[in-house]
Amino acid sequence: MLTVEDSLEELSALADTAGLEVVGEMTQKLDRIEPSTFIGKGKVEELKTWQSELNFEVALFDDELSPRHQRNLEQVLGDQVRVLDRTALILDIFAQHAHTREGALQVELAQYEYRLPRLTRGWTHLVRQAGGGAGRSGTAGVGLRGPGETQLEVDRRQIRSRIAFLKEQLEDVRQHRQQHRAQRRRAQVPVVSIVGYTNAGKSSLLNALVDTAGAKQTVPVLAEDKLFATLDPTTRRVRLPAGKTALFTDTVGFIQKLPTQLVAAFRATLEEIEEADLLLHVVDLTHPNAVEQAKAVEQTLKDLAISGIPIVVALNKIDRLEPEQREDILAESFPHSVPISALKQLNLDQLLARIEHELYESLLPVQVRLPYRRSDLAALFHDNGRVDEERFVEKAILIQGRLPARYLAIFRPYLIKSD
Ligand code: GDP
Ligand code: MG
């Protein structure tokens, strides 16, 4: 479990990413949440005193606040203070980092869904976008009031219609993407999805792999020491040691307490993960909470019902450790992993060889039921895997045997679950 200190430290890092400067922190141990203000009366007073001394503009809560908590706290703290929780902060960061059309649509939708029950007054973006990066459009605020409607009702109505519009747009984009993916599938190139805690070094690794594998130089993926620098799935072609290629996709970083609402919003990234032939889990070995972070990633994958995809673990940033330190940690917590440094490009060949082995050589047990019109797949099974038993029944061919991970995705619609 994450301690309160660790969790607050992560919240500070998130605040920093959003462009906020942290001027103070306070905690309270509560047996019971105060129904009106979340924190106790005394704490609210303390916060008010702080406000008059420090003049802060944002009060950030690590736990999820109900719309009521938020309203009441804002009332107490006055007009110059916005009260936000972790979810709202993460949404704001997402908004600043979404670069593709789909990413921008997803964030805007999630923001409005979050905002609707909390609407109390005009909503402004946390940090005004320098140079207007993501280019989203908000609600048009003025001049559209119907007879007898308050501004608040107008805002709500507009948000609802905006939500409906965004959902339609997203559906369009998704259908488009599915067509793309189907084409890629037909091209028979295996897909490796890079997953991992935010800031573990996923984007750096993708850049480094593209480098070492001597692929054509493409635009580097944004890697920086900020949480959630990457939002939209980015795909690069990487050459594996024996000459085959694979597509590597970079994904959004996972984080403890990532609200499910947000997980749902990032279906684009998640769909990439679901369809991967292999997951490459990047762990920042030098982070004091490396083990917890790795567990949080595994748990999120479980929550998303992503299972049955082989995983290779890369322990990153070993350039920061002494050799003896590496040995200890590796043996203890992360068996079957490959220690690497994305930054110093250490051990990347070994990592790629391991990935190639998992994709093409290591055989996984499978059972499939193939309709006769897919006898091409039966042939594929014989050519590339090992058939232990094959039965021809009335409407299908049943095969039990072993297949390299690389072929699992093709057979996925016909898999018989064994457990
Ligand atoms: P992501 O959020 O998982 O995509 O992480 P990034 O690739 O953006 O990297 C986060 C930070 O860690 C950046 O400041 C990187 O320079 C740094 N970093 C990544 N890999 C390494 C590494 O192997 N060694 C060291 N020392 N730093 C690294
Ligand atoms: Mg990244």
Side-chain angles (χ1 to χ4, degrees), residues 202-203 222-223 229-230 250-251:
K202 299 178 293 299
S203 301
L222 178 69
T230 330
D250 190 9
T251 65

Side-chain angles (χ1 to χ4, degrees), residues 153-258:
E153 283 161 355
V154 175
D155 287 352
R156 288 211 176 103
R157 181 162 56 79
Q158 283 187 341
I159 289 183
R160 280 198 201 96
S161 76
R162 184 77 192 160
I163 285 177
F165 171 78
L166 288 168
K167 282 184 172 161
E168 262 169 44
Q169 295 282 303
L170 268 171
E171 205 40 55
D172 277 0
V173 178
R174 267 172 197 149
Q175 267 166 17
H176 204 77
R177 187 158 40 80
Q178 241 143 27
Q179 284 166 9
H180 266 291
R181 242 202 319 256
Q183 277 165 13
R184 193 165 76 194
R185 204 32 99 195
R186 252 173 270 132
Q188 302 279 302
V189 182
V191 175
V192 177
S193 251
I194 305 179
V195 297
Y197 209 74
T198 190
N199 231 34
K202 299 178 293 299
S203 301
S204 306
L205 179 58
L206 183 55
N207 287 334
L209 288 176
V210 169
D211 254 14
T212 35
K216 259 191 250 117
Q217 202 50 52
T218 39
V219 187
V221 181
L222 178 69
E224 53 176 331
D225 200 10
K226 298 250 180 209
L227 301 174
F228 300 120
T230 330
L231 260 189
D232 302 300
T234 312
T235 303
R236 297 279 184 272
R237 184 179 291 263
V238 173
R239 196 173 321 144
L240 299 173
K244 298 195 167 82
T245 55
L247 294 176
F248 281 65
T249 61
D250 190 9
T251 65
V252 61
F254 296 176
I255 190 171
Q256 315 239 17
K257 299 207 246 173
L258 184 65

Side-chain angles (χ1 to χ4, degrees), residues 87 91-92 94-95 98 100-118 123 136-138 158-172 174 261-267:
T87 306
L91 279 173
D92 197 83
F94 277 13
T100 63
R101 178 167 153 67
E102 181 170 25
L105 286 170
Q106 285 178 324
V107 178
E108 196 182 343
L109 178 61
Q111 280 185 317
Y112 280 130
E113 286 182 334
Y114 177 83
R115 246 179 93 195
L116 189 57
R118 292 177 163 78
W123 177 81
R136 295 160 313 108
S137 48
Q158 283 187 341
I159 289 183
R160 280 198 201 96
S161 76
R162 184 77 192 160
I163 285 177
F165 171 78
L166 288 168
K167 282 184 172 161
E168 262 169 44
Q169 295 282 303
L170 268 171
E171 205 40 55
D172 277 0
R174 267 172 197 149
Q261 184 184 359
L262 285 183
V263 173
F266 285 85
R267 235 171 72 184

Side-chain angles (χ1 to χ4, degrees), residues 16 38 80 116 149 151 154 210 220 242 287 293 306 323 325 329 355 393 397 407 410:
D16 179 57
F38 190 78
Q80 63 276 40
L116 189 57
E149 266 184 319
Q151 186 58 45
V154 175
V210 169
H287 196 283
Q293 294 189 341
I306 291 170
Q325 271 178 305
I329 298 172
I355 288 168
V393 295
I397 311 169
Y407 297 102
I410 304 172

Side-chain angles (χ1 to χ4, degrees), residues 146-402:
E149 266 184 319
T150 64
Q151 186 58 45
L152 197 60
E153 283 161 355
V154 175
D155 287 352
R156 288 211 176 103
R157 181 162 56 79
Q158 283 187 341
I159 289 183
R160 280 198 201 96
S161 76
R162 184 77 192 160
I163 285 177
F165 171 78
L166 288 168
K167 282 184 172 161
E168 262 169 44
Q169 295 282 303
L170 268 171
E171 205 40 55
D172 277 0
V173 178
R174 267 172 197 149
Q175 267 166 17
H176 204 77
R177 187 158 40 80
Q178 241 143 27
Q179 284 166 9
H180 266 291
R181 242 202 319 256
Q183 277 165 13
R184 193 165 76 194
R185 204 32 99 195
R186 252 173 270 132
Q188 302 279 302
V189 182
V191 175
V192 177
S193 251
I194 305 179
V195 297
Y197 209 74
T198 190
N199 231 34
K202 299 178 293 299
S203 301
S204 306
L205 179 58
L206 183 55
N207 287 334
L209 288 176
V210 169
D211 254 14
T212 35
K216 259 191 250 117
Q217 202 50 52
T218 39
V219 187
V221 181
L222 178 69
E224 53 176 331
D225 200 10
K226 298 250 180 209
L227 301 174
F228 300 120
T230 330
L231 260 189
D232 302 300
T234 312
T235 303
R236 297 279 184 272
R237 184 179 291 263
V238 173
R239 196 173 321 144
L240 299 173
K244 298 195 167 82
T245 55
L247 294 176
F248 281 65
T249 61
D250 190 9
T251 65
V252 61
F254 296 176
I255 190 171
Q256 315 239 17
K257 299 207 246 173
L258 184 65
T260 39
Q261 184 184 359
L262 285 183
V263 173
F266 285 85
R267 235 171 72 184
T269 298
L270 301 172
E271 279 174 6
E272 296 280 335
I273 298 178
E274 263 165 34
E275 300 205 346
D277 298 287
L278 186 100
L279 301 182
L280 173 55
H281 180 178
V282 182
V283 177
D284 175 359
L285 188 55
T286 64
H287 196 283
N289 290 327
V291 176
E292 285 78 10
Q293 294 189 341
K295 282 197 184 128
V297 170
E298 284 164 16
Q299 187 56 47
T300 308
L301 290 173
K302 224 191 243 165
D303 292 346
L304 297 166
I306 291 170
S307 63
I309 304 175
I311 300 183
V312 169
V313 178
L315 300 176
N316 193 27
K317 311 197 186 180
I318 55 162
D319 55 290
R320 286 192 182 160
L321 298 178
E322 300 299 325
E324 319 82 71
Q325 271 178 305
R326 295 177 202 171
E327 300 289 318
D328 289 354
I329 298 172
L330 299 187
E332 259 173 50
S333 312
F334 298 99
H336 311 300
S337 52
V338 185
I340 59 155
S341 166
L343 200 67
K344 299 275 148 65
Q345 311 216 338
L346 300 175
N347 261 353
L348 298 185
D349 288 336
Q350 198 181 322
L351 178 66
L352 285 176
R354 177 68 168 276
I355 288 168
E356 189 164 45
H357 175 84
E358 290 296 328
L359 280 176
Y360 288 94
E361 286 154 49
S362 176
L363 296 172
L364 303 161
V366 280
Q367 257 185 308
V368 292
R369 179 189 175 86
L370 301 169
Y372 279 103
R373 68 187 157 78
R374 294 316 311 264
S375 52
D376 59 319
L377 289 184
L380 192 76
F381 203 131
H382 279 276
D383 288 347
N384 298 286
R386 206 185 68 204
V387 175
D388 294 329
E389 198 192 328
E390 186 170 36
R391 285 196 297 138
F392 299 86
V393 295
E394 199 184 331
K395 284 196 174 123
I397 311 169
L398 301 178
I399 301 179
Q400 188 178 342
R402 287 170 171 273

